PDB file of all heavy atoms in Angstrom:
ATOM      1  N   SER A 343     -42.564 -49.162-126.732  1.00 56.00           N
ATOM      2  CA  SER A 343     -41.239 -49.668-127.039  1.00 56.00           C
ATOM      3  C   SER A 343     -40.167 -48.672-126.606  1.00 56.00           C
ATOM      4  O   SER A 343     -39.039 -49.039-126.312  1.00 56.00           O
ATOM      5  CB  SER A 343     -41.110 -49.954-128.537  1.00 56.00           C
ATOM      6  OG  SER A 343     -41.353 -48.773-129.289  1.00 56.00           O
ATOM      7  N   ASN A 344     -40.538 -47.395-126.585  1.00 64.00           N
ATOM      8  CA  ASN A 344     -39.639 -46.349-126.118  1.00 64.00           C
ATOM      9  C   ASN A 344     -39.972 -46.068-124.651  1.00 64.00           C
ATOM     10  O   ASN A 344     -40.660 -45.117-124.323  1.00 64.00           O
ATOM     11  CB  ASN A 344     -39.788 -45.091-126.956  1.00 64.00           C
ATOM     12  CG  ASN A 344     -38.834 -43.980-126.537  1.00 64.00           C
ATOM     13  OD1 ASN A 344     -37.826 -44.249-125.884  1.00 64.00           O
ATOM     14  ND2 ASN A 344     -39.171 -42.763-126.898  1.00 64.00           N
ATOM     15  N   VAL A 345     -39.488 -46.909-123.761  1.00 68.00           N
ATOM     16  CA  VAL A 345     -39.912 -46.859-122.362  1.00 68.00           C
ATOM     17  C   VAL A 345     -39.438 -45.567-121.710  1.00 68.00           C
ATOM     18  O   VAL A 345     -38.392 -45.015-122.064  1.00 68.00           O
ATOM     19  CB  VAL A 345     -39.372 -48.077-121.580  1.00 68.00           C
ATOM     20  CG1 VAL A 345     -39.977 -49.348-122.101  1.00 68.00           C
ATOM     21  CG2 VAL A 345     -37.854 -48.139-121.654  1.00 68.00           C
ATOM     22  N   GLN A 346     -40.234 -45.051-120.760  1.00 75.00           N
ATOM     23  CA  GLN A 346     -39.914 -43.827-120.045  1.00 75.00           C
ATOM     24  C   GLN A 346     -39.872 -44.099-118.549  1.00 75.00           C
ATOM     25  O   GLN A 346     -40.726 -44.790-118.008  1.00 75.00           O
ATOM     26  CB  GLN A 346     -40.968 -42.748-120.319  1.00 75.00           C
ATOM     27  CG  GLN A 346     -40.899 -42.125-121.685  1.00 75.00           C
ATOM     28  CD  GLN A 346     -41.936 -41.017-121.818  1.00 75.00           C
ATOM     29  OE1 GLN A 346     -43.128 -41.246-121.694  1.00 75.00           O
ATOM     30  NE2 GLN A 346     -41.477 -39.803-122.083  1.00 75.00           N
ATOM     31  N   THR A 347     -38.853 -43.547-117.920  1.00 79.00           N
ATOM     32  CA  THR A 347     -38.822 -43.577-116.475  1.00 79.00           C
ATOM     33  C   THR A 347     -39.688 -42.445-115.944  1.00 79.00           C
ATOM     34  O   THR A 347     -40.095 -41.543-116.681  1.00 79.00           O
ATOM     35  CB  THR A 347     -37.396 -43.428-115.942  1.00 79.00           C
ATOM     36  OG1 THR A 347     -36.904 -42.146-116.320  1.00 79.00           O
ATOM     37  CG2 THR A 347     -36.491 -44.528-116.480  1.00 79.00           C
ATOM     38  N   MET A 348     -39.968 -42.478-114.641  1.00 78.00           N
ATOM     39  CA  MET A 348     -40.772 -41.435-114.025  1.00 78.00           C
ATOM     40  C   MET A 348     -40.140 -40.054-114.232  1.00 78.00           C
ATOM     41  O   MET A 348     -40.818 -39.088-114.579  1.00 78.00           O
ATOM     42  CB  MET A 348     -40.937 -41.725-112.544  1.00 78.00           C
ATOM     43  CG  MET A 348     -41.922 -40.841-111.848  1.00 78.00           C
ATOM     44  SD  MET A 348     -43.624 -41.346-112.165  1.00 78.00           S
ATOM     45  CE  MET A 348     -43.755 -42.812-111.111  1.00 78.00           C
ATOM     46  N   SER A 349     -38.843 -39.949-114.011  1.00 83.00           N
ATOM     47  CA  SER A 349     -38.171 -38.649-114.136  1.00 83.00           C
ATOM     48  C   SER A 349     -38.146 -38.181-115.585  1.00 83.00           C
ATOM     49  O   SER A 349     -38.303 -36.971-115.846  1.00 83.00           O
ATOM     50  CB  SER A 349     -36.744 -38.738-113.585  1.00 83.00           C
ATOM     51  OG  SER A 349     -35.966 -39.663-114.315  1.00 83.00           O
ATOM     52  N   GLU A 350     -37.962 -39.077-116.524  1.00 85.00           N
ATOM     53  CA  GLU A 350     -37.959 -38.676-117.941  1.00 85.00           C
ATOM     54  C   GLU A 350     -39.320 -38.135-118.363  1.00 85.00           C
ATOM     55  O   GLU A 350     -39.400 -37.139-119.078  1.00 85.00           O
ATOM     56  CB  GLU A 350     -37.565 -39.878-118.808  1.00 85.00           C
ATOM     57  CG  GLU A 350     -36.116 -40.287-118.697  1.00 85.00           C
ATOM     58  CD  GLU A 350     -35.800 -41.593-119.391  1.00 85.00           C
ATOM     59  OE1 GLU A 350     -36.755 -42.335-119.699  1.00 85.00           O
ATOM     60  OE2 GLU A 350     -34.617 -41.880-119.619  1.00 85.00           O
ATOM     61  N   ALA A 351     -40.377 -38.799-117.922  1.00 83.00           N
ATOM     62  CA  ALA A 351     -41.716 -38.346-118.271  1.00 83.00           C
ATOM     63  C   ALA A 351     -42.014 -36.989-117.653  1.00 83.00           C
ATOM     64  O   ALA A 351     -42.593 -36.100-118.285  1.00 83.00           O
ATOM     65  CB  ALA A 351     -42.753 -39.380-117.834  1.00 83.00           C
ATOM     66  N   LEU A 352     -41.631 -36.805-116.370  1.00 85.00           N
ATOM     67  CA  LEU A 352     -41.857 -35.530-115.713  1.00 85.00           C
ATOM     68  C   LEU A 352     -41.038 -34.418-116.340  1.00 85.00           C
ATOM     69  O   LEU A 352     -41.521 -33.289-116.512  1.00 85.00           O
ATOM     70  CB  LEU A 352     -41.520 -35.650-114.225  1.00 85.00           C
ATOM     71  CG  LEU A 352     -42.547 -36.383-113.353  1.00 85.00           C
ATOM     72  CD1 LEU A 352     -42.003 -36.574-111.952  1.00 85.00           C
ATOM     73  CD2 LEU A 352     -43.868 -35.652-113.321  1.00 85.00           C
ATOM     74  N   ARG A 353     -39.813 -34.711-116.704  1.00 88.00           N
ATOM     75  CA  ARG A 353     -38.964 -33.683-117.319  1.00 88.00           C
ATOM     76  C   ARG A 353     -39.554 -33.240-118.662  1.00 88.00           C
ATOM     77  O   ARG A 353     -39.569 -32.055-118.997  1.00 88.00           O
ATOM     78  CB  ARG A 353     -37.535 -34.213-117.514  1.00 88.00           C
ATOM     79  CG  ARG A 353     -36.520 -33.110-117.715  1.00 88.00           C
ATOM     80  CD  ARG A 353     -35.106 -33.686-117.771  1.00 88.00           C
ATOM     81  NE  ARG A 353     -34.754 -34.388-116.552  1.00 88.00           N
ATOM     82  CZ  ARG A 353     -34.354 -33.792-115.439  1.00 88.00           C
ATOM     83  NH1 ARG A 353     -34.305 -32.479-115.385  1.00 88.00           N
ATOM     84  NH2 ARG A 353     -34.055 -34.509-114.371  1.00 88.00           N
ATOM     85  N   HIS A 354     -40.056 -34.219-119.420  1.00 85.00           N
ATOM     86  CA  HIS A 354     -40.697 -33.900-120.700  1.00 85.00           C
ATOM     87  C   HIS A 354     -41.962 -33.067-120.461  1.00 85.00           C
ATOM     88  O   HIS A 354     -42.213 -32.090-121.173  1.00 85.00           O
ATOM     89  CB  HIS A 354     -41.058 -35.186-121.434  1.00 85.00           C
ATOM     90  CG  HIS A 354     -41.905 -34.961-122.645  1.00 85.00           C
ATOM     91  ND1 HIS A 354     -41.448 -34.330-123.776  1.00 85.00           N
ATOM     92  CD2 HIS A 354     -43.214 -35.293-122.895  1.00 85.00           C
ATOM     93  CE1 HIS A 354     -42.414 -34.276-124.681  1.00 85.00           C
ATOM     94  NE2 HIS A 354     -43.486 -34.842-124.175  1.00 85.00           N
ATOM     95  N   GLU A 355     -42.696 -33.440-119.440  1.00 85.00           N
ATOM     96  CA  GLU A 355     -43.928 -32.732-119.117  1.00 85.00           C
ATOM     97  C   GLU A 355     -43.653 -31.280-118.728  1.00 85.00           C
ATOM     98  O   GLU A 355     -44.369 -30.352-119.129  1.00 85.00           O
ATOM     99  CB  GLU A 355     -44.652 -33.460-117.974  1.00 85.00           C
ATOM    100  CG  GLU A 355     -46.139 -33.246-117.944  1.00 85.00           C
ATOM    101  CD  GLU A 355     -46.822 -34.245-117.010  1.00 85.00           C
ATOM    102  OE1 GLU A 355     -46.145 -35.144-116.499  1.00 85.00           O
ATOM    103  OE2 GLU A 355     -48.040 -34.088-116.834  1.00 85.00           O
ATOM    104  N   ILE A 356     -42.619 -31.059-117.966  1.00 89.00           N
ATOM    105  CA  ILE A 356     -42.250 -29.700-117.536  1.00 89.00           C
ATOM    106  C   ILE A 356     -41.822 -28.872-118.738  1.00 89.00           C
ATOM    107  O   ILE A 356     -42.184 -27.697-118.874  1.00 89.00           O
ATOM    108  CB  ILE A 356     -41.151 -29.741-116.474  1.00 89.00           C
ATOM    109  CG1 ILE A 356     -41.685 -30.347-115.176  1.00 89.00           C
ATOM    110  CG2 ILE A 356     -40.579 -28.350-116.204  1.00 89.00           C
ATOM    111  CD1 ILE A 356     -40.607 -30.621-114.137  1.00 89.00           C
ATOM    112  N   SER A 357     -41.034 -29.447-119.649  1.00 89.00           N
ATOM    113  CA  SER A 357     -40.577 -28.711-120.824  1.00 89.00           C
ATOM    114  C   SER A 357     -41.742 -28.335-121.746  1.00 89.00           C
ATOM    115  O   SER A 357     -41.744 -27.237-122.325  1.00 89.00           O
ATOM    116  CB  SER A 357     -39.536 -29.525-121.599  1.00 89.00           C
ATOM    117  OG  SER A 357     -40.120 -30.716-122.132  1.00 89.00           O
ATOM    118  N   VAL A 358     -42.724 -29.239-121.865  1.00 86.00           N
ATOM    119  CA  VAL A 358     -43.894 -28.919-122.672  1.00 86.00           C
ATOM    120  C   VAL A 358     -44.690 -27.795-122.035  1.00 86.00           C
ATOM    121  O   VAL A 358     -45.145 -26.863-122.714  1.00 86.00           O
ATOM    122  CB  VAL A 358     -44.789 -30.186-122.846  1.00 86.00           C
ATOM    123  CG1 VAL A 358     -46.133 -29.816-123.468  1.00 86.00           C
ATOM    124  CG2 VAL A 358     -44.065 -31.210-123.701  1.00 86.00           C
ATOM    125  N   HIS A 359     -44.846 -27.863-120.715  1.00 88.00           N
ATOM    126  CA  HIS A 359     -45.623 -26.831-120.026  1.00 88.00           C
ATOM    127  C   HIS A 359     -44.900 -25.478-120.051  1.00 88.00           C
ATOM    128  O   HIS A 359     -45.560 -24.435-120.032  1.00 88.00           O
ATOM    129  CB  HIS A 359     -45.891 -27.255-118.586  1.00 88.00           C
ATOM    130  CG  HIS A 359     -46.880 -26.381-117.899  1.00 88.00           C
ATOM    131  ND1 HIS A 359     -48.224 -26.358-118.228  1.00 88.00           N
ATOM    132  CD2 HIS A 359     -46.741 -25.475-116.893  1.00 88.00           C
ATOM    133  CE1 HIS A 359     -48.856 -25.487-117.461  1.00 88.00           C
ATOM    134  NE2 HIS A 359     -47.975 -24.942-116.651  1.00 88.00           N
ATOM    135  N   ALA A 360     -43.580 -25.483-120.125  1.00 90.00           N
ATOM    136  CA  ALA A 360     -42.839 -24.235-120.173  1.00 90.00           C
ATOM    137  C   ALA A 360     -43.223 -23.442-121.427  1.00 90.00           C
ATOM    138  O   ALA A 360     -43.373 -22.199-121.379  1.00 90.00           O
ATOM    139  CB  ALA A 360     -41.334 -24.520-120.159  1.00 90.00           C
ATOM    140  N   LYS A 361     -43.385 -24.123-122.551  1.00 88.00           N
ATOM    141  CA  LYS A 361     -43.798 -23.456-123.787  1.00 88.00           C
ATOM    142  C   LYS A 361     -45.236 -22.946-123.653  1.00 88.00           C
ATOM    143  O   LYS A 361     -45.568 -21.861-124.168  1.00 88.00           O
ATOM    144  CB  LYS A 361     -43.675 -24.416-124.958  1.00 88.00           C
ATOM    145  CG  LYS A 361     -42.255 -24.911-125.187  1.00 88.00           C
ATOM    146  CD  LYS A 361     -42.201 -25.935-126.302  1.00 88.00           C
ATOM    147  CE  LYS A 361     -40.770 -26.457-126.486  1.00 88.00           C
ATOM    148  NZ  LYS A 361     -40.691 -27.503-127.534  1.00 88.00           N
ATOM    149  N   TYR A 362     -46.067 -23.704-122.995  1.00 87.00           N
ATOM    150  CA  TYR A 362     -47.449 -23.315-122.768  1.00 87.00           C
ATOM    151  C   TYR A 362     -47.526 -22.104-121.846  1.00 87.00           C
ATOM    152  O   TYR A 362     -48.294 -21.156-122.092  1.00 87.00           O
ATOM    153  CB  TYR A 362     -48.178 -24.526-122.171  1.00 87.00           C
ATOM    154  CG  TYR A 362     -49.647 -24.345-121.872  1.00 87.00           C
ATOM    155  CD1 TYR A 362     -50.534 -23.958-122.858  1.00 87.00           C
ATOM    156  CD2 TYR A 362     -50.122 -24.614-120.593  1.00 87.00           C
ATOM    157  CE1 TYR A 362     -51.885 -23.813-122.578  1.00 87.00           C
ATOM    158  CE2 TYR A 362     -51.479 -24.484-120.313  1.00 87.00           C
ATOM    159  CZ  TYR A 362     -52.348 -24.086-121.297  1.00 87.00           C
ATOM    160  OH  TYR A 362     -53.682 -23.944-121.022  1.00 87.00           O
ATOM    161  N   LEU A 363     -46.708 -22.091-120.815  1.00 92.00           N
ATOM    162  CA  LEU A 363     -46.702 -20.997-119.856  1.00 92.00           C
ATOM    163  C   LEU A 363     -46.196 -19.703-120.474  1.00 92.00           C
ATOM    164  O   LEU A 363     -46.612 -18.613-120.104  1.00 92.00           O
ATOM    165  CB  LEU A 363     -45.823 -21.379-118.653  1.00 92.00           C
ATOM    166  CG  LEU A 363     -45.723 -20.379-117.490  1.00 92.00           C
ATOM    167  CD1 LEU A 363     -47.096 -20.166-116.870  1.00 92.00           C
ATOM    168  CD2 LEU A 363     -44.731 -20.880-116.443  1.00 92.00           C
ATOM    169  N   LYS A 364     -45.292 -19.827-121.424  1.00 91.00           N
ATOM    170  CA  LYS A 364     -44.710 -18.646-122.059  1.00 91.00           C
ATOM    171  C   LYS A 364     -45.762 -17.780-122.736  1.00 91.00           C
ATOM    172  O   LYS A 364     -45.616 -16.556-122.816  1.00 91.00           O
ATOM    173  CB  LYS A 364     -43.649 -19.096-123.067  1.00 91.00           C
ATOM    174  CG  LYS A 364     -42.823 -17.967-123.662  1.00 91.00           C
ATOM    175  CD  LYS A 364     -41.740 -18.508-124.573  1.00 91.00           C
ATOM    176  CE  LYS A 364     -40.892 -17.375-125.142  1.00 91.00           C
ATOM    177  NZ  LYS A 364     -39.821 -17.895-126.038  1.00 91.00           N
TER     178      LYS A 364
END
Side-chain angles (χ1 to χ4, degrees):
S343 59
N344 182 20
V345 295
Q346 286 183 300
T347 63
M348 190 78 76
S349 62
E350 289 171 344
L352 284 173
R353 199 174 300 281
H354 171 68
E355 206 166 354
I356 292 171
S357 65
V358 170
H359 190 69
K361 299 176 182 178
Y362 181 56
L363 182 62
K364 188 176 181 180

